[in-house]
Amino acid sequence: MKRPGSRQHALRPTRVRLVYTRELRARMCTRGYVVGLALLSLVTFGLVMGFSMLGGTGDSTVAVCGAPAESTGTAPPGIRVTSCDGMADGRKLVENKDADAAVVVTGNRATLLSRADTGDQAKAGAEALATSWAGHQALLRQDVDLQRLERDTAAAELTTVTVGKSVGALQLGAAATLIIVLFTQIVNQGSVIAQGVVEEKSTRVVEVLLATLTPLELLMGKVAGIITAGMVQVATMLGAVVCGQALVSDTSTELPGAQALVVTVLWFLLTFALFASLYAAAGSLVSRPEDLQGVLTPVMLLALAPVGTATAAATDLSASWISVVQYIPPFSGLLMPLKASVGTATLPEQLIAAVLLLAATVCCITLAARIYSNSVLRVGAPVRWRQALAA
């Protein structure tokens, strides 16, 4: 006896599109989905603002009293210098928090005024200004030509060269956090795919669908529909990132730029396609929702392994083991966008890893289609992976 759907061997895009539309309506037109979008956008926006506040040091104000501001030299980075008249004026500015610290010059001595809550940046900046003023005064007492000294110092200006592809800890942490939050959608949406397959199988809806559809058409339409619903969530998250970055006054944000976000989404799609088919195949092995967790465990562990690897890699992207693991699917799905987001992945490296991941995705889809076709109509005891492959 032929199974339902066994007569239709040709893959028809029209029927795949019908399943795709059905899945979109079933997933996106629910209150839970809308609430999830709102929560995801709020969490992402909070991450953006949090990392922006951590990354921004802000400027500290140091008042210079009793001497020209130029006599203290060039202010250190993050220090804004203001002028005042004397000790009383400087004390008033610091006490009223109009200045974080003050350098008061009296005769041949300088006094540093600060509060108990004055930050280390302001204290260090004030000390640097006071030291610069003391050196300036010592040179004047020795009749040194200050203009010539300034010209000679400028001619011998220090040149800074960055060696290697290192990144700041905060920048790397921000990139890793956003990418891991994004890729946890694979586990969430994969579970939705598996649950949907089990529901259709337990209610015998799948038998009705397979009367006019082939198992491959049903699998492709279902996976494509849920991937689209997941991509709407991803787009919402990226929109929250863009809005958060637009509200941050400091343009030197620690978060990945637009190009890095686009690259991350492309890697996400490849990895999602790989795991989505496996989740659908896992769901077809059981007939009852309570049996689902047992067959999902291997797939979930495989999906979470790249997240753990990316977390470990974030501590040192230059480690030797990363240069090998970054090409191995599915680990490349997280390691490559992580390195690309901080500018340490070259284009040839990404292309090689993408080709390998694409090949692995095609193999997984082919394998999942075979498992799905051989087990989706088997009702009763859970089907083992080996049995579904051998059928």
Side-chain angles (χ1 to χ4, degrees), residues 280-298:
S284 68
L285 297 175
V286 298
S287 303
R288 300 182 303 172
E290 52 266 30
D291 297 329
L292 182 59
Q293 190 61 41
V295 296
L296 280 186
T297 299

Side-chain angles (χ1 to χ4, degrees), residues 27 188 190-200 279 283 289 292 296:
R27 303 299 169 190
N188 295 335
S191 299
V192 172
I193 293 175
Q195 290 171 3
V197 173
V198 174
E199 289 174 1
E200 291 179 348
Y279 272 101
L292 182 59
L296 280 186

Side-chain angles (χ1 to χ4, degrees), residues 49-57 170 254:
M49 302 305 294
F51 276 111
S52 298
M53 288 187 290
L54 287 174
T57 57
L170 186 59
E254 300 290 344

Side-chain angles (χ1 to χ4, degrees), residues 3-353:
R3 295 178 180 179
S6 61
R7 298 179 181 178
Q8 296 87 2
H9 296 287
L11 182 65
R12 297 185 181 180
T14 304
R15 295 190 296 206
V16 174
R17 187 170 62 250
L18 289 175
V19 179
Y20 172 77
T21 304
R22 171 179 173 269
E23 285 298 325
L24 283 184
R25 292 175 179 174
R27 303 299 169 190
M28 299 180 65
C29 299
T30 61
R31 181 180 299 176
Y33 184 84
V34 176
V35 172
L37 283 181
L39 291 177
L40 180 63
S41 60
L42 289 175
V43 170
T44 306
F45 184 81
L47 286 174
V48 173
M49 302 305 294
F51 276 111
S52 298
M53 288 187 290
L54 287 174
T57 57
D59 290 340
S60 299
T61 301
V62 175
V64 176
C65 309
E70 56 269 16
S71 65
T72 58
T74 303
I79 298 298
R80 182 173 58 251
V81 178
T82 184
S83 299
C84 59
D85 294 334
M87 179 65 75
D89 196 11
R91 183 183 294 273
K92 182 179 179 180
L93 289 174
V94 175
E95 288 179 349
N96 294 338
K97 297 187 177 182
D98 293 324
D100 298 292
V103 176
V104 180
V105 176
T106 306
N108 295 325
R109 300 192 63 180
T111 302
L112 193 154
L113 302 179
S114 64
R115 297 187 306 273
D117 61 346
T118 298
D120 293 337
Q121 181 187 33
K123 289 181 180 179
E127 290 175 359
L129 293 174
T131 302
S132 177
W133 174 85
H136 184 272
Q137 296 303 309
L139 292 174
L140 285 177
R141 287 194 296 270
Q142 298 176 30
D143 296 327
V144 175
D145 188 345
L146 295 182
Q147 293 183 350
R148 181 179 178 182
L149 177 62
E150 186 176 346
R151 289 195 303 268
D152 292 344
T153 303
E157 183 179 358
L158 177 66
T159 301
T160 303
V161 178
T162 302
V163 179
K165 296 180 178 180
S166 59
V167 294
L170 186 59
Q171 180 187 6
L172 186 57
T177 301
L178 286 178
I179 290 174
I180 289 174
V181 169
L182 173 62
F183 275 78
T184 51
Q185 292 297 310
I186 293 176
V187 178
N188 295 335
Q189 296 302 319
S191 299
V192 172
I193 293 175
Q195 290 171 3
V197 173
V198 174
E199 289 174 1
E200 291 179 348
K201 187 175 179 178
S202 61
T203 58
R204 301 295 180 93
V205 172
V206 66
E207 297 180 7
V208 177
L209 295 174
L210 291 180
T212 55
L213 300 169
T214 66
L216 183 59
E217 290 171 344
L218 183 57
L219 175 65
M220 291 183 62
K222 178 178 291 294
V223 170
I226 296 180
I227 286 179
T228 301
M231 285 308 301
V232 172
Q233 291 183 325
V234 171
T236 301
M237 189 184 76
L238 295 182
V241 172
V242 173
C243 291
Q245 289 178 330
L247 292 177
V248 176
S249 58
D250 185 8
T251 57
S252 59
T253 178
E254 300 290 344
L255 295 164
Q259 183 177 359
L261 290 176
V262 171
V263 171
T264 300
V265 170
L266 294 178
W267 281 102
F268 170 80
L269 284 174
L270 276 177
T271 312
F272 197 177
L274 185 151
F275 283 108
S277 58
L278 294 180
Y279 272 101
S284 68
L285 297 175
V286 298
S287 303
R288 300 182 303 172
E290 52 266 30
D291 297 329
L292 182 59
Q293 190 61 41
V295 296
L296 280 186
T297 299
V299 183
M300 292 181 67
L301 291 177
L302 183 61
L304 290 174
V307 176
T309 304
T311 304
T315 60
D316 183 13
L317 280 180
S318 60
S320 58
W321 64 272
I322 297 179
S323 61
V324 177
V325 179
Q326 67 182 5
Y327 297 110
I328 302 176
F331 302 101
S332 57
L334 267 77
L335 289 179
M336 276 300 175
L338 177 60
K339 295 184 66 175
S341 64
V342 295
T344 60
T346 63
L347 181 59
E349 288 177 342
Q350 295 187 64
L351 290 177
I352 294 173

